[in-house]
Amino acid sequence: MWTRKAVFYVGFGVILVLFAPFINNLQLFLLGTTILGFVAVHSLVNTRPIEVKITRDFDDDQVFENSGVSVDLVIQNKGRPVGFLEIYDNLPSEVEVSKGLNHTILRLRKDELVVNKYSLECRLRGQYRLGNPRLRIYNPSFLFYYEADVESKSSLVVLPQIEQIEWTIDLIRSIHLPMLYVGGGMDHALGVTCSSPWAAGLTIA
């Protein structure tokens, strides 16, 4: 893919090539041709795909609300050396990066392994899916780049806080449910006439 720098160079070169004949200036024409040739040559340099494996490691994949979790983004180069590699870890909008960065720029030698550490703040309960990390590699002139997603999905479960769970249990226990007798169908709260054979017609208030 083209960077803004490459677009500018091509546009500038085309303008020189088209404008030079009108003013009969050979130097501008040669300069424009040189710029276009430079861009054409660098479009073939170091923009082919690379072999990079990316995995995530959590210190705990089940955490409580308003607590943090540490993430290790393990990047391993299994192919040729990479001069300039940009990696962005896709995260759900419900979590926030509290320490470090989920975006890194690095240089990888062949078979080199690098670990990028950052921490997440989990404020909302739920089960979240962390998407595939995205990598971008630039050629030496930064005119072109190759971009791709690396298959590495992970799940993170955020549980309710213990205080909220205990409050819910206490609330359920505090509710006085109607007492029903087996076979009688009596309700202390509503005053239903008992239908059991041994107390027929008895009204409970």
Side-chain angles (χ1 to χ4, degrees), residues 10-202:
V10 170
F12 185 62
V14 170
I15 291 175
L16 292 179
V17 170
L18 296 178
F19 183 70
F22 289 99
I23 61 174
N24 196 21
N25 191 320
L26 181 60
Q27 287 78 11
L28 291 181
F29 181 83
L30 293 177
L31 177 60
T33 305
T34 303
I35 292 176
L36 294 177
F38 174 82
V39 174
V41 170
H42 279 265
S43 66
L44 306 176
V45 180
N46 273 353
T47 55
R48 65 184 186 274
I50 58 176
E51 297 181 22
V52 174
K53 181 181 179 182
I54 301 178
T55 56
R56 292 189 193 90
D57 291 331
F58 300 99
D59 59 351
D60 193 354
D61 58 358
Q62 293 185 357
V63 297
F64 292 101
E65 280 182 300
N66 296 322
S67 60
V69 57
S70 298
V71 183
D72 292 344
L73 193 67
V74 183
I75 306 158
Q76 183 178 8
N77 184 21
K78 293 189 173 183
R80 61 181 176 86
V82 182
F84 190 91
L85 181 63
E86 184 178 8
I87 297 178
Y88 178 79
D89 197 9
N90 287 318
L91 302 175
S93 58
E94 291 81 5
V95 298
E96 299 178 359
V97 179
S98 58
K99 184 179 180 181
L101 293 173
N102 62 323
H103 173 264
T104 181
I105 299 175
L106 45 85
R107 181 179 182 179
L108 287 177
R109 294 186 294 269
K110 186 177 180 180
D111 297 327
E112 184 179 5
L113 188 144
V114 177
V115 180
N116 181 43
K117 297 178 179 290
Y118 63 92
S119 300
L120 297 177
E121 186 73 18
C122 306
R123 300 185 181 278
L124 296 176
R125 73 188 73 174
Q127 183 174 5
Y128 303 111
R129 191 79 167 176
L130 280 69
N132 294 326
R134 174 164 296 181
L135 60 84
R136 178 182 291 182
I137 175 175
Y138 293 86
N139 68 345
S141 61
F142 290 89
L143 293 177
F144 299 91
Y145 65 91
Y146 169 78
E147 189 175 78
D149 291 341
V150 180
E151 186 68 26
S152 181
K153 295 183 178 179
S154 308
S155 296
L156 178 63
V157 179
V158 181
L159 304 172
Q161 292 182 344
I162 296 296
E163 294 80 1
Q164 295 180 350
I165 298 177
E166 294 177 348
W167 179 83
T168 304
I169 295 176
D170 293 339
L171 179 63
I172 295 175
R173 289 176 176 175
S174 65
I175 298 176
H176 297 286
L177 298 177
M179 299 179 59
L180 298 176
Y181 291 92
V182 178
M186 295 186 301
D187 193 327
H188 283 282
L190 302 179
V192 179
T193 301
C194 178
S195 59
S196 62
W198 47 268
L202 179 63

